[in-house]
Amino acid sequence: MAKLKVTPDNETFHWNNVNPKNRRTGDCVTRAIAAFLGQSWEQTYRELAEYGLKHATAMNCPETYVPFLASKGYEKHKMPRTACGTKYTGKEFCREIAEPGTCYVVTMANHLTFIAPDCRINDIWDCGDKCVGNYWSRELL
């Protein structure tokens, strides 16, 4: 079995996988929200699955994770735009919007990622070139 390549760290990215089996799978919603809430992947998976069951929605779709985050007390922020109206990339969000000491869950096209309090994307691949959609923030105490 070939070893999977790990994306090297850089100014706006840190390779991190909170999946307990270190799998690189379609679990970005669980990984991002677990890191954002500061809880285990297992607990987050369980909570999202229970929420999805209760509301008859898939746990990795916006119909589940948007109200799930709201139920935890987090407000969704609209997609940020630059002064000329263009979208920010993940890298630009890290450099220009993210504040040290605050963490973020950020939507991107077909992906959810976590931006850590050091203003770097923490994920299993560098999605910094993708455009940022809506996001949630949480200040650390």
Side-chain angles (χ1 to χ4, degrees):
M1 186 167 156
K3 190 172 185 175
L4 294 173
K5 182 180 174 185
V6 173
T7 306
D9 287 4
N10 60 51
E11 173 193 1
T12 58
F13 173 77
H14 171 70
W15 189 90
N16 186 34
N17 188 359
V18 299
N19 181 296
K21 302 284 186 185
N22 204 30
R23 292 197 171 123
R24 296 188 199 182
T25 182
D27 65 343
C28 65
V29 170
T30 304
R31 285 185 286 104
I33 292 175
F36 179 73
L37 296 177
Q39 62 188 37
S40 72
W41 183 94
E42 295 93 336
Q43 180 182 351
T44 305
Y45 187 97
R46 194 173 299 111
E47 289 180 13
L48 283 166
E50 289 170 0
Y51 193 93
L53 278 170
K54 181 178 178 182
H55 300 281
T57 57
M59 63 185 279
N60 63 340
C61 70
E63 290 79 12
T64 300
Y65 67 77
V66 171
F68 174 78
L69 287 167
S71 77
K72 296 281 192 180
Y74 297 102
E75 181 181 336
K76 179 174 75 171
H77 304 280
K78 291 185 178 184
M79 175 192 302
R81 297 283 185 155
T82 66
C84 61
T86 61
K87 298 176 184 178
Y88 283 92
T89 65
K91 290 176 184 176
E92 291 168 336
F93 187 97
C94 290
R95 291 181 188 130
E96 300 174 31
I97 296 175
E99 297 179 13
T102 300
C103 57
Y104 303 86
V105 170
V106 177
T107 62
M108 297 177 164
N110 301 310
H111 189 58
L112 208 65
T113 196
F114 171 69
I115 297 178
D118 66 356
C119 303
R120 293 196 300 171
I121 295 167
N122 278 228
D123 210 331
I124 59 173
W125 62 286
D126 188 352
C127 55
D129 289 329
K130 293 187 97 159
C131 290
V132 169
N134 299 321
Y135 68 96
W136 294 260
S137 61
R138 179 172 79 88
E139 288 184 40
L140 298 182
L141 302 175

